[in-house]
Amino acid sequence: YAFFLSLLGLALLLNCQLGSAYLLTCYFTNWAQYRPGLGRFKPDGIDPHLCTHLIYAFAGMSNNEITTIEWNDVTLYQAFKGLKNNRSNQLKTLLAIEGWNFGTAPFTAMVSTPENRKTFIASVIKFLRQYEFDRLDFDWEPGSRGALLRTSTSFIILVQEMHEAFEQEAKQANKSRLMITSAVAAGISNIQPGYEIPQLSQYLDYIHVMTYDFHGSWESYTGENSPLYKYPSDTGTNAYLSVEYAMNYWKDNGAPAEKLIVGFPTYGHTFILSNPSNTSIGAPTSSAGPAGPYTRQAGFWAYYEICTFLKNGATQEWEASQEVPYTYQVGYDNIKSFNIKAQWLKQNNFRGAMVWAIDLDDFSGTFCNQGEFPLISTLKYALGLQNTSCTPPAQPIAPITLPPGSRSSSSGGSGFCAGKAKRLYPVANNSNAFWHCLNGLTYQQQCQAMLVFSTSCDCCNWA
């Protein structure tokens, strides 16, 4: 009996370690709490086992110090902390400081002098420790909105000084080092003036490439939000607007692949066609599409709003050259395109996926009939992360009874796993189940609803 319990504990431990080294980083936006009805979302709606890293967006800055933005940020911070407790601290949380909505001026002023940078860094350390975040994420594009070219160099200096301060603080406090990540541009027009890639890559722990918003209602023609590959007829700068080109540009210009995170959008961009009979990619448009009932932003729909549009009879097309879907007025992503991109990510040895945003997926499962968080769940299983959240018991304290036929009677083996190598096997006539063979013992396990066991990755995946 003791021997069996030790084997069972080992089996549970091995099952927990079947996960991968990929990261799945998900942004939460603190303004999602203001959406009406079923669109309202707060941290208590987050599945703590869904993502490996959660980023709280956003914090702000005042007088060269990091600060809250929303009236209840501190309360929501505590909810984030609670999510970590549910994962035995395997979940890592980050606090993102933004630079888009309030412009580049505050950042430009902060990085301009050693004194301002020192003030900012000290405030960040105090803030992150106080609210128990593990990392800081910069959401600032130094090459955007006409920012001065010198700010790219100042940004590198800031990140270097912050990295050194984080290391010193960790040694003095005998704690794990705080880490630094950054969401960076995917468009060449912003990358080239905004980043000195080799130098920046030395001091950032991970680099979140925002491989979305390649096309949208700010243009006078339709285009995909986040195409994996360029459209065949694209020329000039449009030929650079794809996930493949952007990720390879960062890698080829000095960013290590093991630090690069590919961006995945859980939303799409909408258009009003100039000629309703012309529905192709690149068709002329007259304006942004109507705002969604929950996100309430012209030209922008959450995935769950797109599902409603499709249910109401919209025609869905697949653009094979770019590996993404579209309807006649929306460029977006779905489960199929997420899975294809995830396989491409793995083939190219990038470190993981970043999602904008967790509150734009069908988090309630009521709109798309694909379960809760269908897009992010696709990434979780495609990246082999389905077992990273389990924690094996330190020691069983009571007899454990498995269903009949679920285990063998001795270490010599019997039943399905007798004489078989230690690995996972499909169950005949039950695509949702799989056998886990360990030292001749047989364990039958189930994938989550709507998933099937795949021998190509030894994981549960979408059919």
Side-chain angles (χ1 to χ4, degrees):
Y1 174 72
F3 174 72
F4 167 68
L5 287 181
S6 65
L7 282 179
L8 179 58
L10 178 59
L12 291 170
L13 177 60
L14 288 174
N15 190 46
C16 287
Q17 293 176 341
L18 286 174
S20 69
Y22 294 109
L23 305 183
L24 177 52
T25 300
C26 303
Y27 277 89
F28 159 78
T29 61
N30 59 1
W31 58 92
Q33 63 183 310
Y34 302 123
R35 293 185 183 129
L38 294 175
R40 186 171 184 263
F41 190 85
K42 296 177 74 172
D44 58 8
I46 296 175
D47 176 357
H49 304 288
L50 187 61
C51 308
T52 63
H53 296 66
L54 284 173
I55 305 182
Y56 187 104
F58 285 111
M61 188 169 58
S62 177
N63 298 321
N64 299 315
E65 293 186 342
I66 192 170
T67 183
T68 59
I69 292 179
E70 295 293 338
W71 62 277
N72 62 341
D73 273 337
V74 171
T75 299
L76 300 184
Y77 293 166
Q78 295 304 313
F80 249 54
K81 175 185 173 182
L83 294 169
K84 291 172 62 175
N85 295 339
N86 289 333
R87 279 283 301 274
S88 300
N89 292 322
Q90 294 182 54
L91 177 67
K92 301 300 181 184
T93 58
L94 298 80
L95 180 62
I97 182 167
E98 70 156 345
W100 184 256
N101 284 335
F102 63 75
T104 61
F107 272 93
T108 303
M110 181 268 291
V111 300
S112 63
T113 70
E115 294 78 16
N116 288 353
R117 294 194 300 269
K118 184 176 181 179
T119 297
F120 177 72
I121 293 169
S123 75
V124 166
I125 293 174
K126 179 180 178 182
F127 203 89
L128 296 184
R129 292 301 190 193
Q130 179 179 356
Y131 298 113
E132 301 188 39
F133 287 98
D134 301 296
R135 304 174 182 181
L136 182 75
D137 181 62
F138 282 106
D139 279 48
W140 177 49
E141 299 177 52
S144 67
R145 292 188 172 181
L148 297 176
L149 291 179
R150 68 172 182 270
T151 59
S152 63
T153 302
S154 299
F155 184 48
I156 292 173
I157 294 172
L158 171 67
V159 173
Q160 178 182 358
E161 292 175 347
M162 181 171 286
H163 185 275
E164 293 168 353
F166 282 3
E167 286 193 331
Q168 182 179 5
E169 186 267 348
K171 291 178 181 178
Q172 292 176 346
N174 194 27
K175 296 181 178 179
S176 298
R177 177 177 67 85
L178 297 168
M179 301 179 78
I180 314 168
T181 64
S182 183
V184 300
I188 302 305
S189 61
N190 285 335
I191 297 174
Q192 290 177 337
Y195 306 98
E196 297 176 29
I197 294 176
Q199 296 89 334
L200 187 62
S201 299
Q202 292 181 47
Y203 303 109
L204 290 175
D205 292 288
Y206 298 111
I207 301 168
H208 304 137
V209 186
M210 296 183 286
T211 44
Y212 38 74
D213 295 337
F214 285 119
H215 296 285
S217 57
W218 52 89
E219 297 171 323
S220 59
Y221 50 88
T222 62
E224 292 285 4
N225 179 33
S226 180
L228 179 54
Y229 306 111
K230 80 177 189 72
Y231 195 61
S233 62
D234 280 344
T235 58
T237 57
N238 276 358
Y240 308 144
L241 300 179
S242 70
V243 175
E244 178 190 48
Y245 188 92
M247 295 306 302
N248 286 334
Y249 186 93
W250 275 93
K251 182 176 67 174
D252 294 344
N253 284 275
E258 62 269 19
K259 286 190 175 185
L260 287 169
I261 311 293
V262 183
F264 286 73
T266 54
Y267 65 92
H269 286 297
T270 66
F271 308 85
I272 298 296
L273 298 173
S274 298
N275 180 359
S277 63
N278 185 354
T279 59
S280 62
I281 299 292
T285 60
S286 58
S287 65
Y294 301 102
T295 53
R296 298 176 295 182
Q297 178 183 340
F300 179 100
W301 283 355
Y303 181 62
Y304 57 85
E305 293 172 320
I306 294 170
C307 285
T308 301
F309 184 62
L310 294 173
K311 283 182 178 180
N312 289 335
T315 301
Q316 181 174 256
E317 302 285 355
W318 180 259
E319 180 47 58
S321 66
Q322 298 183 295
E323 298 287 18
V324 279
Y326 69 97
T327 74
Y328 292 161
Q329 63 186 63
V330 188
Y332 65 104
D333 276 87
N334 61 8
I335 287 174
K336 180 180 177 180
S337 66
F338 262 41
N339 197 46
I340 290 171
K341 289 180 186 178
Q343 302 308 320
W344 177 88
L345 178 162
K346 294 192 292 184
Q347 292 166 6
N348 287 274
N349 300 313
F350 294 115
R351 188 57 187 274
M354 173 270 284
V355 177
W356 184 277
I358 195 169
D359 45 84
L360 298 173
D361 200 354
D362 185 16
F363 53 85
S364 66
T366 59
F367 292 89
C368 303
N369 295 332
Q370 297 167 342
E372 296 179 358
F373 300 103
L375 295 182
I376 301 175
S377 295
T378 296
L379 293 179
K380 176 180 177 179
Y381 286 92
L383 298 178
L385 295 167
Q386 62 270 29
N387 290 314
T388 58
S389 60
C390 65
T391 303
Q395 181 178 353
I397 59 176
I400 299 175
T401 302
L402 298 179
S406 65
R407 65 175 176 89
S408 64
S409 58
S410 69
S411 60
S414 65
F416 178 85
C417 289
K420 288 185 171 60
K422 181 175 62 179
R423 54 162 292 187
L424 306 181
Y425 296 86
V427 174
N429 302 319
N430 187 353
S431 61
N432 180 252
F434 60 96
W435 301 109
H436 183 186
C437 295
L438 178 67
N439 296 333
L441 295 174
T442 302
Y443 304 92
Q444 182 174 343
Q445 298 175 299
Q446 301 288 129
C447 295
Q448 291 186 358
M450 299 179 63
L451 302 178
V452 298
F453 178 72
S454 171
T455 56
S456 64
C457 61
D458 277 352
C459 68
C460 296
N461 208 339
W462 296 101

